[in-house]
């Protein structure tokens, strides 16, 4: 089982760093389906794994001098996402405390992820018919980031495909630029979420060995993903992104039924 968890985190982080979706959108539903831990532990450890991968990716880009982060847009987005990350964590904590059965919380998360992923896939299919915008208002960026942070933190996915759609539509970024800026936003959201959990004592119980294993998978996956990103075209990145969305939709449907029937 440990080898399987490592491979899931490695592959998710590798693909996540290439596409800019963080990896949590893969790790969370797959581990839910495998059933290795309860939803609280999976959400927390998934966030830690995503944080490790995004940290490496940002440092690597900065050191190499190849960063294409638009800080005028991404910094207020990231700050909004940080606040949203805390709010999303609070919403999740309230739901888990109120729920008599954590499977119900897992079911709600799975339904939300299914809807978000399906919407992202539909947008991707018709994006060339959509007139995109060029939002440059810092206040608007903070609000958009806030909503992204709430969603990603509550779902335990780090950021996921919704970040890319927002960057495509509101800021007219191509998939390569959007991927890097998405990683930047996810980093801020996950740092805020982790610090909030530690400060409020709401860190769930989990096996420490599993944390080390998942973070290691996230870092190694980030290393491979950053190296791979340099060698593939934007067209292939987009194809990988679409294929991933289809897989996540399938897993989310399975998890909805699995939690409902539990």
């Amino acid at each position: 089982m440990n080898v399987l968890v490592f491979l899931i985190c490695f592959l998710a982080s590798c693909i996540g760093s290439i596409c800019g979706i963080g990896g949590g959108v893969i790790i969370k539903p797959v581990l839910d389906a495998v059933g290795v831990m309860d939803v609280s532990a999976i959400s927390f450890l998934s966030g830690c794994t995503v944080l490790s991968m995004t940290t490496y990716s940002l440092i690597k880009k900065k050191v190499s001098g190849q960063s294409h982060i638009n800080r005028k847009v991404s910094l207020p987005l990231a700050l909004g996402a940080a606040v949203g990350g805390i709010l999303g964590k609070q919403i999740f904590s309230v739901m888990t405390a109120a729920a008599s059965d954590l499977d119900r919380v897992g079911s709600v998360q799975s339904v939300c992820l299914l809807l978000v992923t399906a919407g992202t896939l539909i947008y991707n299919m018709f994006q060339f018919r959509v007139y995109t915008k060029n939002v440059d208002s810092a206040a608007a960026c903070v609000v958009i980031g806030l909503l992204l942070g709430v969603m990603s933190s509550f779902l335990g996915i780090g950021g996921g495909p919704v970040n890319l759609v927002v960057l495509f539509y509101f800021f007219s970024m191509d998939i390569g630029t959007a991927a890097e800026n998405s990683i930047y936003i996810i980093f801020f959201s996950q740092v805020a979420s982790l610090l909030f959990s530690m400060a409020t004592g709401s860190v769930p119980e989990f096996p420490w060995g599993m944390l080390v294993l998942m973070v290691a998978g996230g870092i190694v996956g980030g290393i491979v993903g950053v190296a791979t990103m340099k060698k593939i075209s934007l067209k292939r990145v987009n194809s990988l992104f679409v294929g991933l969305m289809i897989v996540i939709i399938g897993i989310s449907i399975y998890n909805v039924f699995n939690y409902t029937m539990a």
Side-chain angles (χ1 to χ4, degrees):
M1 182 61 72
N2 287 346
V3 175
L4 176 62
V5 171
F6 177 84
L7 287 175
I8 290 170
C9 293
F10 166 74
L11 292 173
S13 297
C14 180
I15 297 171
S17 64
I18 294 172
C19 297
I21 59 175
V25 72
I26 308 170
I27 297 170
K28 176 64 169 62
V30 172
L31 291 185
D32 280 344
V34 174
V36 292
M37 292 171 284
D38 64 48
V39 293
S40 296
I42 291 174
S43 293
F44 178 78
L45 294 181
S46 174
C48 291
T49 306
V50 170
L51 179 58
S52 68
M53 184 277 287
T54 54
T55 301
Y56 170 80
S57 297
L58 292 175
I59 292 175
K60 179 66 176 178
K61 285 285 187 179
K62 184 67 175 179
V63 171
S64 67
Q66 298 177 335
S67 177
H68 296 94
I69 294 173
N70 181 357
R71 285 184 173 79
K72 180 181 178 181
V73 167
S74 291
L75 183 57
L77 275 173
L79 294 176
V83 176
I86 294 174
L87 293 177
K89 183 67 70 174
Q90 287 182 307
I91 294 171
F92 180 79
S93 297
V94 169
M95 285 192 64
T96 53
S100 57
D101 184 1
L102 287 181
D103 284 339
R104 293 183 180 179
V105 179
S107 179
V108 171
Q109 285 182 312
S110 297
V111 170
C112 291
L113 181 58
L114 172 61
L115 295 175
V116 167
T117 308
T120 300
L121 181 59
I122 292 171
Y123 177 89
N124 187 271
M125 292 169 61
F126 298 100
Q127 62 177 309
F128 297 108
R129 301 180 184 179
V130 177
Y131 291 98
T132 59
K133 312 212 179 266
N134 284 290
V135 175
D136 58 5
S137 165
C141 290
V142 169
V143 172
I144 293 171
L146 179 72
L147 297 176
L148 287 176
V150 170
M151 184 180 301
S152 64
S153 181
F154 172 71
L155 296 179
I157 60 175
V162 67
N163 279 16
L164 294 184
V165 170
V166 166
L167 293 173
F168 293 157
Y169 179 72
F170 288 102
F171 307 101
S172 298
M173 294 184 185
D174 61 54
I175 191 166
T177 304
E180 187 175 347
N181 283 270
S182 175
I183 293 295
Y184 181 75
I185 295 166
I186 291 169
F187 170 79
F188 275 78
S189 175
Q190 290 306 303
V191 167
S193 179
L194 176 61
L195 291 178
F196 175 78
S197 294
M198 296 174 65
T200 58
S202 58
V203 176
E205 293 185 5
F206 60 87
W208 281 92
M210 191 65 73
L211 172 63
V212 173
L213 196 68
M214 292 176 66
V215 168
I219 294 174
V220 176
I223 293 172
V224 175
V226 170
T228 304
M229 191 188 307
K230 302 175 183 178
K231 302 176 182 178
I232 60 176
S233 65
L234 293 182
K235 183 178 180 180
R236 289 191 176 182
V237 172
N238 189 63
S239 297
L240 179 63
F241 176 72
V242 171
L244 183 60
M245 294 303 96
I246 294 172
V247 171
I248 294 171
I249 288 172
I251 296 173
S252 297
I253 291 173
Y254 169 81
N255 285 337
V256 170
F257 283 100
N258 188 42
Y259 281 124
T260 302
M261 299 300 292

